């Protein structure tokens, strides 16, 4: 198969390397990879890196590395893109070395997001170790995690033409929910392996390219411990604990120092393409995932237990 097999890594440009190191290592429980010329890397498994953090003013996603199975599959995918008049350039040896891959080609999706197609993402020289986690992160055949990207007015037909027809993703499901009168969230979720979705798209009101990146842990207790660490550090939350109806992820959303979010989850659904049926759901959340201000107001408004004063 010449399509993408997994999300290998993401590259973020951030304005504060210090804040990001604290966020990734101390709060999320990742492992510091190595210092680079313009930042550092973060590990979540045996790979040399899953996140590449570079210094700059953008505070957003600047590249996504999608891995394909081998050199022949990469050549076939590049040929397919070029046949569809999509511009693709081969990365030089210096870029391949920086990304720790055998080969790399660069293109862009219809929203202008930089897409790096790679083979041979290297393992690190040492085993993964986290000072914070009881378990580990869920990667393996599912790749680094998932991300939700903003469509920014590009039609669904256009971006699906790129991700489905060219890169080989498949639709998992769609969620359409009226959040308020006239305000509709409409997201589509795509997979390229067993992970319920590797990328999803919606026209959410955000100036950024990315809404969030999801990391999944193997031990449910690590969700609670990370939740407490972020709370104690006064890191701003987007949503408190909850669960999604489609991938059944138990998770919370916390803002990064760059203003987009990380979903920190456990228990995500694995898709079997032989039996999977695409559905359209009408709720983004099965329960929870409430804005922190709403939760704070409800807790503050609750009456004191009988016999006690506020």
């Amino acid at each position: 198969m010449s399509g993408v097999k997994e999300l290998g890594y993401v590259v973020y440009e951030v304005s504060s390397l210090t804040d990001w190191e604290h966020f990734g290592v101390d709060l999320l429980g990742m492992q510091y990879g190595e210092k680079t010329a313009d930042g550092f890397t973060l590990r979540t498994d045996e790979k040399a890196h899953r996140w590449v953090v570079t210094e700059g003013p953008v505070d957003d996603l600047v590249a996504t590395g999608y891995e394909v199975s081998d050199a022949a599959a990469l050549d076939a995918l590049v040929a397919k893109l070029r046949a569809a008049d999509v511009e693709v350039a081969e990365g030089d040896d210096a870029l391949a070395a920086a990304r720790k891959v055998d080969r790399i080609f660069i293109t862009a999706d219809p929203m202008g997001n930089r897409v790096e197609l790679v083979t041979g993402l290297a393992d690190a020289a040492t085993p993964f170790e986290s000072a914070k986690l009881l378990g580990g992160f869920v990667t393996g055949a599912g790749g680094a995690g998932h991300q939700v990207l903003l469509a920014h007015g590009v039609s669904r037909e256009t971006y699906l033409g790129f991700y489905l027809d060219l890169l080989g993703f498949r639709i998992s499901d769609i969620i359409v929910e009226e959040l308020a009168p006239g305000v509709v969230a409409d997201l589509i979720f795509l997979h390229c392996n067993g992970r319920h979705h590797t990328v999803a798209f919606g026209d959410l009101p955000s100036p950024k390219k990315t809404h969030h990146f999801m990391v999944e842990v193997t031990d449910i207790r690590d969700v609670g411990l990370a939740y407490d660490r972020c709370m104690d550090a006064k890191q701003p939350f987007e949503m408190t604990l909850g669960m999604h109806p489609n991938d059944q992820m138990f998770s919370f959303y916390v803002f990064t120092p760059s203003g987009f979010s990380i979903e920190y989850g456990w228990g995500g659904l694995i898709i079997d393409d032989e039996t999977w049926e695409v559905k359209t759901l009408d709720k983004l959340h099965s329960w929870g995932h409430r804005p922190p201000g709403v939760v704070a107001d409800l807790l503050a408004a609750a009456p004191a237990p009988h016999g006690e004063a506020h």
Side-chain angles (χ1 to χ4, degrees):
M1 191 175 90
S2 62
V4 165
K5 71 165 187 168
E6 66 184 68
L7 195 167
Y9 58 83
V10 281
V11 185
Y12 297 117
E13 184 179 305
V14 310
S15 55
S16 175
L17 292 175
T18 303
D19 289 348
W20 261 88
E21 183 179 344
H22 169 66
F23 179 75
V25 176
D26 299 329
L27 301 187
L28 302 188
M30 296 178 175
Q31 181 180 357
Y32 188 92
E34 64 179 19
K35 185 174 173 53
T36 62
D38 55 358
F40 62 90
T41 63
L42 291 167
R43 294 177 57 192
T44 59
D45 60 5
E46 77 284 355
K47 294 296 179 184
H49 56 238
R50 291 297 193 174
W51 290 18
V52 180
V53 182
T54 64
E55 190 169 27
V58 170
D59 275 318
D60 204 351
L61 176 74
V62 293
T64 302
Y66 289 112
E67 191 163 10
V68 298
S69 56
D70 55 35
L74 181 58
D75 289 336
L77 181 53
V78 168
K80 190 176 183 182
L81 287 161
R82 288 175 172 161
D85 293 325
V86 176
E87 190 174 331
V88 187
E90 185 162 13
D92 60 18
D93 291 344
L95 180 60
R99 297 291 195 252
K100 311 282 191 189
V101 297
D102 292 339
R103 296 175 70 204
I104 181 168
F105 285 83
I106 301 102
T107 188
D109 74 6
M111 281 73 73
N113 296 305
R114 178 179 167 115
V115 171
E116 299 180 355
L117 302 170
V118 305
T119 56
L121 179 59
D123 288 348
T126 57
F128 172 73
E129 287 185 47
S130 171
K132 301 294 182 182
L133 297 189
L134 299 174
F137 289 100
V138 178
T139 57
H146 78 235
Q147 59 184 352
V148 174
L149 304 179
L150 287 304
H152 291 305
V154 174
S155 73
R156 182 159 290 175
E157 181 183 14
T158 299
Y159 63 71
L160 288 185
F162 179 81
Y163 280 91
L164 300 183
D165 300 341
L166 299 178
L167 296 193
F169 281 81
R170 302 171 291 284
I171 297 173
S172 304
D173 43 43
I174 298 165
I175 298 181
V176 181
E177 179 181 1
E178 187 171 19
L179 304 175
V183 180
V184 176
D186 184 352
L187 286 89
I188 188 163
F189 301 82
L190 311 180
H191 66 280
C192 60
N193 51 51
R195 191 184 287 281
H196 175 276
H197 57 284
T198 286
V199 65
F201 299 94
D203 242 332
L204 306 171
S206 169
K208 297 196 180 286
K209 291 178 179 291
T210 184
H211 175 267
H212 74 264
F213 190 93
M214 187 284 306
V215 291
E216 185 178 1
V217 289
T218 60
D219 191 320
I220 192 172
R221 296 173 296 174
D222 279 321
V223 177
L225 289 168
Y227 188 81
D228 281 355
R229 287 195 299 272
C230 291
M231 192 81 70
D232 292 343
K234 300 181 173 59
Q235 194 71 24
F237 282 70
E238 183 182 12
M239 288 182 263
T240 54
L241 290 164
M243 184 175 283
H244 293 297
N246 58 343
D247 68 353
Q248 298 172 22
M249 190 74 71
F250 168 66
S251 63
F252 66 90
Y253 288 71
V254 63
F255 284 110
T256 68
S258 293
F260 58 88
S261 291
I262 295 301
E263 181 184 6
Y264 202 95
W266 171 87
L269 188 72
I270 301 297
I271 281 181
D272 177 356
D273 275 315
E274 295 296 316
T275 57
W276 185 255
E277 294 180 15
V278 177
K279 295 186 173 74
T280 296
L281 308 174
D282 62 1
K283 287 188 184 304
L284 290 168
H285 315 288
S286 303
W287 61 269
H289 284 158
R290 297 185 179 196
V294 170
V295 174
D297 289 346
L298 288 169
L299 292 172
H306 185 68
E308 293 184 23
H310 264 301

